[in-house]
Amino acid sequence: MFTPLTVALAVAALALAAWCGWAAYRDQPTKDWHFIGMAVVSLLALVQLVVGIVKLAGGGEAAEGTVIFLAYLAAVAACVPVVGLISLTERTKWGSLTVAAGALVLAVLQARLHEIWGGGHGG
């Protein structure tokens, strides 16, 4: 995989988690600017999905298997949009907390994706 993108996505996800966690702490729902942050993180996740598929198509191999790698890539790409939709239906602090939790999950998924690919070895 492309480690700088993985790190950038993890850092962006953690920043989004902190931002939405702060909103939840202040008893606020997600606002328009939170959705802009979610869009940025989602865009990075889509770029990662494309990079991962290109790496596989170019002959790269995930250390723990292609199917698992693709499943994690899909989960990463879907994570923030799913919690963003949930936060639209839950217009309380719980919507913000949901996004914060989803962004934390996304950061953890980045670490796991890095391991699945081979810890930076093999492509």
Side-chain angles (χ1 to χ4, degrees):
M1 273 296 287
F2 187 58
T3 302
L5 178 60
T6 302
V7 171
L9 184 49
V11 169
L14 289 172
L16 180 64
W19 191 19
C20 290
W22 178 250
Y25 174 76
R26 293 179 52 211
D27 218 10
Q28 297 176 342
T30 49
K31 308 271 191 206
D32 289 346
W33 52 82
H34 293 116
F35 286 98
I36 293 169
M38 286 183 248
V40 169
V41 171
S42 295
L43 180 63
L44 286 171
L46 287 174
V47 169
Q48 186 179 51
L49 176 68
V50 170
V51 167
I53 290 171
V54 167
K55 289 272 190 179
L56 287 174
E61 291 184 30
E64 295 187 27
T66 301
V67 173
I68 292 173
F69 180 70
L70 288 173
Y72 270 85
L73 280 177
V76 163
C79 194
V80 170
V82 167
V83 295
L85 279 172
I86 292 170
S87 78
L88 279 174
T89 63
E90 183 58 56
R91 304 304 297 154
T92 66
K93 70 176 182 180
W94 297 106
S96 295
L97 198 57
T98 300
V99 175
L104 282 174
V105 167
L106 179 58
V108 171
L109 287 174
Q110 290 307 297
R112 185 67 183 117
L113 249 178
H114 187 69
E115 288 177 357
I116 291 168
W117 184 255
H121 307 296

